[in-house]
Amino acid sequence: MPSKDKPLVIVTRKLPDVIETRMMELFQTRLNVEDKPMNSAQLAEAVKTAHVLVPTVTDRIDGKILAQAGPQLRLIASFGTGVDHIDLDSARQRGITVTNTPGVLTEDTADMTMALILATARRLAEGERLVRADKWGGWAPTAMLGRRIWGKRLGIIGMGRIGQALARRARGFGLAIHYHNRKRLHPEIERELEATYWESLDQMLARMDVVSVNCPHTPATYHLLSARRLKLLQPSAIVVNTARGEVVDENALTRMLRNRELAGAGLDVFEHEPAINPKLRELDNVVLLPHMGSATIEGRIDMGEKVIINIKTFADGHKPPDRVLAAMF
Ligand code: 8YV
């Protein structure tokens, strides 16, 4: 990218005003003020002209799109942490650098995960719907009974930043921390979190009261919670997912929830967003959220700042701090 010229940056979705304004100051920036998601023809057009593309999770930057990229496209500075919407191998083959925005949405996502655990176990959404529908007949000793979480076991799948931030919160709620991860944590962190490591996911699942999905979606984690593995869970268990829908077999999960083979689920992400298995909507033992785990004003601004820093350092001829290597995922 010629350092004296401002790079042409194409942003695929509306970002916070302060971020867009700063981008306009620093770069030759094309915004999407109407926030209409781009279709594949528009994405193809963007990669033909932009030096830098700033996509989000809603843009599928696959091999077909990248095959149409012009040689001027040098950087994909994604607005988000997950990079499963980008074909990293194709990008690498074409010499396109990919960056993301890790770290700044950890605490917000962990908060939302904890909220979903509580909401699912204590039937928060169901209670709220009851009051709103004017169907509440008054207090009763056996009404709206949920499950206590204090003293129960939480199994965290994926003990990266968000998994660990969840573990810190969950300990305050009296949950015993268990985890499965590709790599075992450093013994000091394990001690601090009083976390029990399970090399075998199958063995862990069978013993947990709450299971939280906090790993990225990669070819290796696609349907990690498969129909077979979901069957290993106790019928009293609940499953929470704030990571990626693809990690859980949504149809198998829905079937089990319908048959009461599982007590409940709290889902912020879905396999085919924004579509969800319609049968999920009919169930009262699920809490359904519209992928809002990291949706705070502060978080979105921090993410935008990271995108700007990644573009600026790259344009200035340095290695951007949040480079994503295909091997990381
Ligand atoms: C973001 C997320 O809001 O960063 C991620 O990986 O899943 C979300 O919380 C989204 O990706 C923005 O692109």
Side-chain angles (χ1 to χ4, degrees):
M1 202 181 303
S3 59
K4 53 180 177 1
D5 300 328
K6 287 184 175 182
L8 173 62
V9 177
I10 298 187
V11 184
T12 67
R13 299 296 302 266
K14 168 99 191 79
L15 301 184
D17 276 351
V18 283
I19 298 302
E20 290 188 341
T21 307
R22 190 68 188 129
M23 281 182 148
M24 291 296 286
E25 287 168 353
L26 289 170
F27 318 117
Q28 198 190 322
T29 307
R30 263 189 225 157
L31 302 173
N32 180 356
V33 283
E34 275 166 22
D35 202 23
K36 242 180 94 194
M38 288 186 176
N39 59 30
S40 44
Q42 289 166 320
L43 282 175
E45 201 42 49
V47 296
K48 275 179 200 158
T49 45
H51 297 115
V52 180
L53 183 73
V54 179
T56 73
V57 70
T58 57
D59 305 299
R60 189 130 299 283
I61 314 295
D62 54 20
K64 252 164 84 186
I65 294 287
L66 288 175
Q68 299 177 70
Q72 84 301 325
L73 182 70
R74 307 306 306 137
L75 175 67
I76 298 174
S78 195
F79 183 87
T81 301
V83 284
D84 53 333
H85 56 297
I86 303 169
D87 185 333
L88 296 177
D89 284 329
S90 293
R92 199 197 45 230
Q93 279 159 23
R94 298 180 158 268
I96 300 166
T97 301
V98 176
T99 59
N100 64 346
T101 63
V104 290
L105 31 74
T106 303
E107 306 303 333
D108 295 329
T109 309
D111 282 345
M112 193 59 94
T113 312
M114 199 61 232
L116 266 182
I117 292 173
L118 289 165
T120 308
R122 298 299 304 274
R123 304 170 64 181
L124 215 78
E126 214 184 321
E128 212 260 354
R129 285 195 294 271
L130 190 81
V131 177
R132 244 179 228 282
D134 202 12
K135 286 189 180 151
W136 182 37
W139 186 86
T142 55
M144 290 306 298
L145 302 184
R147 286 299 184 133
R148 176 186 292 163
I149 64 161
W150 184 269
K152 298 284 168 63
R153 293 193 176 94
L154 166 65
I156 301 176
I157 304 175
M159 203 51 147
R161 291 189 193 85
I162 297 171
Q164 291 178 40
L166 169 64
R168 292 199 176 89
R169 283 158 176 75
R171 288 186 60 218
F173 284 89
L175 283 155
I177 308 302
H178 294 249
Y179 76 100
H180 169 79
N181 201 40
R182 269 185 317 178
K183 262 175 56 191
R184 190 170 178 164
L185 291 178
H186 190 280
E188 221 166 89
I189 303 175
E190 220 176 67
R191 245 193 322 276
E192 183 216 327
L193 300 174
E194 292 181 78
T196 303
Y197 175 63
W198 293 84
E199 195 180 338
S200 158
L201 175 59
D202 288 11
Q203 286 176 16
M204 180 178 91
L205 290 176
R207 293 162 167 91
M208 296 299 115
D209 301 297
V210 181
V211 167
S212 176
V213 178
N214 296 102
C215 60
H217 165 224
T218 67
T221 64
Y222 175 77
H223 279 195
L224 189 64
L225 285 190
S226 57
R228 179 191 71 77
R229 285 216 174 94
L230 287 167
K231 286 210 184 304
L232 299 173
L233 290 163
Q234 307 175 61
S236 57
I238 65 171
V239 174
V240 166
N241 189 1
T242 51
R244 282 293 181 268
E246 289 91 335
V247 180
V248 183
D249 182 336
E250 192 173 300
N251 289 337
L253 178 72
T254 307
R255 264 195 316 274
M256 288 185 67
L257 288 163
R258 268 162 72 92
N259 299 339
R260 306 284 154 170
E261 292 168 270
L262 269 179
L267 307 173
D268 183 45
V269 287
F270 303 89
E271 231 183 298
H272 307 287
E273 290 179 20
I276 73 167
N277 183 323
K279 296 207 171 80
L280 275 174
R281 267 192 224 107
E282 296 163 12
L283 301 173
D284 53 18
N285 52 346
V286 295
V287 180
L288 306 171
L289 296 180
H291 198 147
M292 56 193 269
S294 68
T296 65
I297 295 164
E298 295 86 345
R300 291 289 183 257
I301 292 173
D302 289 348
M303 288 161 77
E305 292 285 351
K306 275 203 159 261
V307 168
I308 290 171
I309 290 166
N310 283 316
I311 300 174
K312 188 78 180 90
T313 44
F314 189 75
D316 289 346
H318 305 289
K319 282 186 178 163
D322 303 310
R323 281 185 325 279
V324 177
L325 308 171
M328 284 160 64
F329 287 90

